[in-house]
Amino acid sequence: MSTLIQLNDVHKIYNMGLSSVHALRGVSLSISQGEFISITGASGSGKSTMMGILGCLDKPTKGEYYFDGQPVNQFSESQLAKVRNQSLGFVFQMFNLLPRASALENVSVPLFYARRTRYHNDALNALRMVGLQDRATHKPTELSGGERQRIAIARAIVNNPKVVLADEPTGNLDTHIGAQIMMIFHELNKKGVTIVLVTHEPDIAIQAERIVKMRDGKIIEDFIVDEKTHREALEQCQQLAKEKIAEE
Amino acid sequence: MFYLRILQTAIRALKSNALRSLLATIGVIIGVAAVVAAMSIIEGATREVLNAIKSFGSNVLIIYPGAARRAGRQIGTVNTLSIADADAIVDKCPAVIRTAPEVLSGAQVKFYSKNMNCAVLGTTTAYPLIRDYKVAEGRFFNNSEIKTEAYVVVLGYKVAKELFGRGTPLGFVVKIRGKPFTVVGVMEKKGTMGFLRVDQQVIVPITTAMKRLFGFRSVSSISAQAIDTKSTSIARKQIKALLRKRHKIPPGEKEDFGIFSQEQLLKGFQEQAKIMGIVFYSIAGISLVVGGIGIMNIMLVSVTERTREIGVRMAVGARRFDILAQFLAESSSISLVGGLLGSLLGVAFSHIIANISANLLKAYVPNSAIITAFTVAFITGIISGLYPAFKASQLDPVEALRYE
Ligand SMILES: Nc1ncnc2c1ncn2[C@@H]1O[C@H](COP(=O)(O)OP(=O)(O)O)[C@@H](O)[C@H]1O
Ligand SMILES: [Mg+2]
């Protein structure tokens, strides 16, 4: 499979007046098209910082980043915006929906910045993918946490991105709801979308094919989850998700 | 299309904070209201003055008395013009075809139990010709009645209506200052002439007015008609030279009279309008600056409050310019609403001023006032939104997303 993401010896230093924080200390990572990868590590180990760089929201202090073969370091601001809009999808722990906009409008935002003139159908399709087409006109405040996160996923995938970057997407949700969210990621991955998932829950991390462990701004482990463990975790997740549906 | 949607988004954001947006725009409302009111009052007054000037005739000059002076010192009061001056002007000034000496005072006009406070004008038969003011019923008094100081009167339109209702006043006797005057005519309805409400005036022979009614020894003014509009400035020079000679004013001394013409009236008015304009536009300027600062303040608050939203928008593909456009759309929408409300308030305000002035001032809202109001509001919005919008567009997306 072709390499989609390539980090070469990436450093990130935050300068805060006198002191500075070395958040990433030489990270090299290669992710292929269609992979499902978990990133784990203690709080403050640099996971979110790395996601910011992968998501073209932030630039490395040092080191190279190639996305789909293109050198991101050399991108202009508007090229970066375009990559974020067309090729990347973000899912955050805090959902980050626009509070005044309806579900459908929230999902439409990336289409809006893509300068698309019509976006009702695509937005509705994305909502259908996460099973919330009947909540299209609801405001985020009228939805549960799980539903909000599903809206956020619909927003992330509405432009058919190559990668979905999810930073602790289940961190604010209970286990059952989290399992439902995970099922959506698995489905997306089956359709060929690359998933990069930050989590510190081991049960969730092992649902990926590959796990990257970080500590103090470095990758300390990078391994393929063995077939059996991976499959068992997936089944357990499926089970949990179903239980919840049965409950309702 | 894209920018239309940006505008929609902006309007929604403002609506969700309607009260705050409204408060932010008060300065703009007041500023725009001042602009609209100023332009309306000035326009209304201009029209009024132009009408007044037109009604008084473009080739008419008014000679009015000034203080008599000798060697720079005032030695007399304003009793410097006489009937003889009026006659001399017609005789000696070739550019003048006729003159009417005038005395003006107020008195109560009575017809049995009805009475009315009127302006009483004493003049000659030249007056209706100079002013193009016609008799509607009966006749004007004649020269022999002037010579004999006869007790005859011509009523203004409203005076006749007030005292006689629908019946004809001709031949009836009204009392002016207790003296009996026979009504010989009623003037046509004219409204105002110059700034006088001639419909509420009665006209008597000048000799009667001076000797029998008021005991005046000089006239209040002399109306002079030039041959045509072009000749007014020549007529003015001839009159000036003649009266200086007749009043024995040495060269270099100031005249003891003044000559008033349409141009001068216009000039005087324009001075007034300028002062009024400066006052109003200063209020407008200050309010708009205050309003602009208000909007800037609210926009800065809004940018801070919505830092996270800005981060999200950037994460899903908004360019810096898109964010800039969004906040500029908000600030200009706020101020355009201010422009709209300010225009309404300004129109209302100009009518209130007109009412308070007892219709001395009239309000007329020109299209240019509304266009100016909206332009000014829009520019205020853009300028005051520029810094907050720029600040929003320059946020670091990662920082913005971490913002609590
Ligand atoms: N904008 C920033 N300014 C200063 N320090 C930062 C900033 N972002 C992250 N850091 C620091 O960098 C380190 C890594 O943070 P982060 O990537 O958020 O870790 P994680 O997501 O793994 O918890 C932490 O020590 C954090 O305090
Ligand atoms: Mg983190």
Side-chain angles (χ1 to χ4, degrees), chain A residues 14 16 21 23 42-50 167, chain B residues 399 402:
Chain A
Y14 291 109
M16 307 190 305
V21 178
S43 181
S45 57
K47 306 182 295 293
S48 294
T49 303
M50 188 170 82
D167 195 344
Chain B
E399 295 281 333
R402 287 164 64 102

Side-chain angles (χ1 to χ4, degrees), chain A residues 52 57-58 77-78 81 84-85 90 92 94 96 98 100-101 105 109-110 112-113 115-117 119 155, chain B residues 1-2 5-6 12-13 16 306 308-309 312-320 322 326 396-398 401:
Chain A
L57 288 168
D58 210 353
E77 288 272 1
S78 65
R84 293 197 292 260
N85 184 248
F90 289 90
F92 308 93
M94 305 290 288
N96 281 338
L98 305 182
R100 285 182 295 273
E105 286 164 337
V109 174
F112 167 63
Y113 287 117
R115 305 291 200 267
R116 291 265 290 274
T117 46
Y119 34 70
R155 179 178 66 189
Chain B
M1 196 61 197
F2 177 71
R5 284 243 159 74
I6 288 249
R12 169 188 281 161
S16 73
R306 285 151 69 195
R308 228 184 151 83
E309 174 190 327
V312 174
R313 287 181 181 277
M314 285 176 165
V316 301
R319 296 173 208 174
R320 297 206 181 278
D322 298 340
Q326 185 189 336
D396 174 358
V398 176
L401 281 166

Side-chain angles (χ1 to χ4, degrees), chain B residues 1 17-18 48 111 124-125 129 168 178 191 202 215 227 261 271 342 370 381 388:
Chain B
M1 196 61 197
N17 253 321
E48 191 81 339
F111 179 64
T124 64
T125 52
L129 300 173
T168 177
V202 298
I227 296 166
S261 65
E271 286 290 298
I370 303 298

Side-chain angles (χ1 to χ4, degrees), chain A residues 1-175:
Chain A
M1 275 210 182
S2 66
T3 304
L4 184 61
I5 283 170
Q6 179 73 49
L7 293 180
N8 293 334
D9 191 32
V10 165
H11 291 256
K12 181 73 195 183
I13 300 167
Y14 291 109
N15 284 312
M16 307 190 305
L18 295 176
S19 69
S20 61
V21 178
H22 211 144
L24 293 179
R25 304 162 178 263
V27 170
S28 296
L29 181 67
S30 165
I31 302 173
S32 301
Q33 178 90 57
E35 266 194 276
F36 194 133
I37 173 169
S38 286
I39 296 170
T40 62
S43 181
S45 57
K47 306 182 295 293
S48 294
T49 303
M50 188 170 82
M51 290 294 265
I53 288 169
L54 291 180
C56 299
L57 288 168
D58 210 353
K59 287 199 163 177
T61 312
K62 200 186 126 200
E64 293 167 322
Y65 175 23
Y66 291 91
F67 182 84
D68 213 7
Q70 308 280 333
V72 174
N73 290 0
Q74 287 159 32
F75 281 7
S76 68
E77 288 272 1
S78 65
Q79 275 174 304
L80 289 172
K82 194 171 175 189
V83 172
R84 293 197 292 260
N85 184 248
Q86 303 288 317
S87 309
L88 301 167
F90 289 90
V91 181
F92 308 93
Q93 182 176 357
M94 305 290 288
F95 322 133
N96 281 338
L97 298 174
L98 305 182
R100 285 182 295 273
S102 69
L104 192 75
E105 286 164 337
N106 263 291
V107 175
S108 304
V109 174
L111 298 169
F112 167 63
Y113 287 117
R115 305 291 200 267
R116 291 265 290 274
T117 46
R118 296 162 161 268
Y119 34 70
H120 184 264
N121 283 346
D122 284 3
L124 208 60
N125 272 338
L127 275 179
R128 201 167 287 132
M129 292 253 312
V130 299
L132 286 181
Q133 64 273 25
D134 57 336
R135 296 283 196 280
T137 58
H138 288 235
K139 296 270 161 74
T141 46
E142 301 160 0
L143 298 170
S144 70
E147 285 172 329
R148 287 185 210 181
Q149 195 59 301
R150 277 147 76 187
I151 302 291
I153 295 173
R155 179 178 66 189
I157 61 175
V158 71
N159 260 338
N160 296 313
K162 291 198 165 82
V163 195
V164 169
L165 301 167
D167 195 344
E168 307 202 28
T170 60
N172 273 3
L173 302 171
D174 76 31
T175 332

Side-chain angles (χ1 to χ4, degrees), chain A residues 167-230:
Chain A
D167 195 344
E168 307 202 28
T170 60
N172 273 3
L173 302 171
D174 76 31
T175 332
H176 294 282
I177 305 289
Q180 285 178 2
I181 296 297
M182 285 308 294
M183 287 316 295
I184 296 173
F185 286 126
H186 289 302
E187 233 170 273
L188 283 173
N189 185 238
K190 251 186 244 161
K191 289 183 181 154
V193 182
T194 309
I195 309 281
V196 181
L197 175 90
V198 170
T199 181
H200 49 239
E201 295 167 69
D203 289 347
I204 285 180
I206 55 167
Q207 290 177 35
E209 303 157 338
R210 176 180 165 196
I211 295 179
V212 168
K213 277 195 178 154
M214 296 186 70
R215 183 190 293 160
D216 300 335
K218 282 187 192 140
I219 293 179
I220 51 162
E221 261 185 274
D222 182 348
F223 61 95
I224 305 292
V225 181
D226 83 84
E227 190 69 36
K228 193 166 160 261
T229 322
H230 170 64

